[in-house]
Amino acid sequence: MTEEKPLIAALRGVAQEVPPLWLMRQAGRYLPEYRALRTQAKSFLDFCYTPAMAAEVTLQPIRRFHFDAAILFSDILVVPDAMGQTVSFETGEGPRLAPIETPEGVARLGAFEVEKLSPVFETIDRVKSQLPGDVAFIGFCGAPWTVASYMIAGKGTPDQAPARLFAFRHHEAFQQLIDRLVEASVDYLTRQVDAGVEVVQIFDSWAGVLPANEFEAWCARPIARMVAALKEKRPATPVIAFVRGADAQLPGLTRRLGAEGYGLDTALDASWAVSETASTVCLQGNLDPLALLAGGSALDREIDTILDAFHGRPHIFNLGHGILPQTPIEHVERLVAKVRRGFGRS
Ligand SMILES: Cc1c2[nH]c(c1CCC(=O)O)Cc1[nH]c(c(CCC(=O)O)c1C)Cc1[nH]c(c(CCC(=O)O)c1C)Cc1[nH]c(c(C)c1CCC(=O)O)C2
């Protein structure tokens, strides 16, 4: 029998001597080889939908750092794109969508055409044959709340007020949108698994803006439904839930979402998370991306704090949010060497 990959073993609840390591947004602009390839694509979505390019950038951080996982190169907003909503990415400005402003806008959305995402599944097929044997392959999607918030506002906002307002004004239509996203996302993740990813991560990047009642309705319940549906369809696939800003809700979420792994954001106190969750739950995180940008002794200190806090627990070393584009490569090299010191895997 081949040995289980360290990241998968950690998700199964087995603490690893050296925590498996990957970084959210590890394929991206901090890498010169990413920037070079990016200029060859007409648009960011074309980049995501060109399997040769998307596969190449998925593999770039693995070649450079031998991380313990590759994450599929794509974006959470391909789901609204496959529902017929107009999606584009303006350089330096982030995503732009034709905003949904009325309940009729929800009703007008097309069916989720998973076949439109076949280039993504082809990317997965290309990557899987090229991954080193100990590197796990992570697929992903956005959580319904986070994706809905971009669909309603049509862009990123500091507080997702447009989506929150829409949910108050048009509760039923918003619920329908969330329900449609639950269904589409499960369909999409199932297809990713069938194409070859071994783990899936659900990103709820904007959970932290919601008060308790809304958090329950728009984050916790939809994610729990997604995980349950996925477990029914593909029971062997571990799930990581990254509910950014979950804060004090984290212990409750680990008891009820049904995921194997929970991503901690930068703000969470790692020791608190360790003491408040069952020892078999795999926690992922949570180095401050700014500490990685800063480097030097501040970075070393933060890494040590995290390694100490999670020692003896199933843990996946990661950032508390995506790597910043200005991050020097040498700082990432320093991180990898320090986490793996003495274990010869860098
Ligand atoms: C909210 C969200 C989005 N996309 C994503 C989230 C959730 C995680 C998070 O909160 O960071 C997730 C995402 N986006 C991307 C990945 C690829 C895999 C990886 O390396 O992690 C993943 C997992 C590529 C990307 N997605 C985007 C880029 C940059 C675009 C470019 O290279 O031109 C990349 C590499 C664009 C994007 N896509 C999105 C935004 C807000 C932006 C603009 C901000 C930015 O530029 O970083 C939506």
Side-chain angles (χ1 to χ4, degrees):
M1 213 179 94
T2 52
E3 227 174 284
E4 201 165 36
K5 301 179 184 189
L7 183 123
I8 310 265
L11 285 167
R12 304 248 178 259
V14 182
Q16 304 294 295
E17 193 176 357
V18 178
L21 163 71
W22 69 284
L23 303 181
M24 287 190 279
R25 295 283 190 102
Q26 66 190 20
R29 285 164 294 186
Y30 74 107
L31 289 176
E33 58 269 38
Y34 172 91
R35 294 195 300 270
L37 202 60
R38 174 74 180 84
T39 59
Q40 292 177 28
K42 267 206 320 283
S43 70
F44 179 68
L45 271 186
D46 276 338
F47 198 31
C48 292
Y49 290 151
T50 307
M53 287 192 190
E56 172 58 23
V57 291
T58 302
L59 290 162
Q60 284 173 347
I62 306 306
R63 288 195 202 106
R64 225 186 227 276
F65 306 114
H66 202 121
F67 288 131
D68 292 277
I71 180 159
L72 167 69
F73 187 80
S74 180
D75 196 82
I76 63 168
L77 300 178
V78 300
V79 168
D81 187 49
M83 287 176 156
Q85 190 173 15
T86 305
V87 180
S88 66
F89 289 81
E90 305 298 329
T91 315
E93 288 184 37
R96 290 288 179 273
L97 298 82
I100 296 177
E101 283 158 340
T102 59
E104 293 71 44
V106 175
R108 269 200 308 271
L109 275 176
F112 174 61
E113 293 195 30
V114 76
E115 296 314 327
K116 186 167 182 193
L117 303 181
S118 48
V120 177
F121 310 129
E122 194 190 321
T123 300
I124 294 172
D125 189 57
R126 285 176 183 234
V127 169
K128 74 179 179 201
S129 56
Q130 297 181 62
L131 276 183
D134 55 351
V135 177
F137 194 5
I138 304 175
F140 73 92
C141 70
W145 161 249
T146 288
V147 176
S149 69
Y150 285 97
M151 293 174 80
I152 301 279
K155 59 182 183 194
T157 69
D159 52 6
Q160 303 303 354
R164 296 193 53 222
L165 196 55
F166 189 101
F168 281 130
R169 284 188 176 142
H170 313 293
H171 188 275
E172 219 169 290
F174 194 72
Q175 182 70 60
Q176 276 163 13
L177 177 58
I178 292 287
D179 291 347
R180 292 205 44 194
L181 286 168
V182 166
E183 202 181 316
S185 306
V186 169
D187 195 9
Y188 180 42
L189 289 180
T190 306
R191 290 289 300 267
Q192 290 186 33
V193 171
D194 292 347
V197 305
E198 302 164 283
V199 173
V200 295
Q201 175 156 320
I202 301 169
F203 286 88
D204 215 347
S205 304
W206 287 99
V209 301
L210 293 174
N213 279 345
E214 295 168 70
F215 181 93
E216 176 59 27
W218 310 132
C219 292
R221 232 179 291 145
I223 298 177
R225 280 167 58 201
M226 276 180 65
V227 177
L230 201 65
K231 293 284 169 201
E232 203 163 294
K233 292 183 174 203
R234 301 293 178 270
T237 305
V239 178
I240 304 171
F242 176 58
V243 184
R244 182 171 157 245
D247 217 15
Q249 313 244 27
L250 178 84
L253 291 179
T254 65
R255 287 191 291 273
R256 59 182 282 232
L257 289 190
E260 283 76 8
Y262 292 84
L264 311 187
D265 63 63
T266 306
L268 272 172
D269 174 3
S271 313
W272 175 83
V274 165
S275 69
E276 297 298 319
T277 56
S279 62
T280 49
V281 168
C282 181
L283 299 174
Q284 173 175 283
N286 68 339
L287 181 70
D288 189 336
L290 285 172
L292 187 58
L293 176 55
S297 57
L299 173 60
D300 289 350
R301 204 169 48 240
E302 294 301 311
I303 295 170
D304 281 335
T305 304
I306 290 170
L307 290 174
D308 288 348
F310 293 107
H311 185 75
R313 277 282 296 240
H315 172 224
I316 298 169
F317 201 106
N318 205 320
L319 297 170
H321 198 195
I323 187 167
L324 296 162
Q326 318 86 294
T327 306
I329 302 279
E330 309 80 64
H331 296 187
V332 181
E333 288 168 349
R334 186 178 183 123
L335 164 70
V336 173
K338 190 161 166 59
V339 171
R340 293 179 177 159
R341 178 167 298 161
F343 295 93
R345 294 194 56 242
S346 63

